Amino acid sequence: MTKRERALLTPAALLRRAWWALAAIPLGFLAAMAVGEGVMSAMGYRPGFDNPPLVQDLTIALVALVVFLVAPVLALWWGIRAYRRGRRIAVVPVGVAAVVGLAMTVLSLVTAFQ
């Protein structure tokens, strides 16, 4: 392992990555909206006007959810690693990412079943 690789794995660097991943959550939301509407259009439904059947609606929701959850999962991953290496403040990005990811998962599934 080189000196640069060791420096990238420091607890401070992991904490920075967790915060950057947390800051990227709004971008993930926008990307998930675009992907969800794109998948809906690809299935032949007009976003905002047509109500697809449950199976297609769940497919659209799950694809968009996977795109959205990339940033919270990365924030959790790096935050937990920073916490285990001694950076106790890492519980903040871990907690926020967990709450946001769980809330978006519940909202996506609830709206798919309406």
Side-chain angles (χ1 to χ4, degrees), residues 53-106:
L54 180 63
V55 173
Q56 282 86 3
D57 208 10
L58 281 174
T59 303
I60 294 164
L62 289 177
V63 169
L65 186 63
V66 167
V67 171
F68 174 78
L69 287 178
V70 169
V73 167
L74 286 175
L76 282 168
W77 173 258
W78 287 322
I80 289 171
R81 288 179 65 195
Y83 181 81
R84 287 182 179 167
R85 292 183 184 185
R87 297 301 299 248
R88 300 297 176 224
I89 192 68
V91 296
V92 176
V94 167
V96 172
V99 168
V100 169
L102 185 62
M104 190 62 168
T105 302
V106 169

Side-chain angles (χ1 to χ4, degrees), residues 24-55:
I25 287 177
L27 297 175
F29 178 76
L30 294 175
M33 292 290 291
V35 167
E37 289 191 9
V39 170
M40 190 172 183
S41 295
M43 289 183 171
Y45 300 102
R46 294 181 306 163
F49 296 104
D50 295 336
N51 290 325
L54 180 63
V55 173

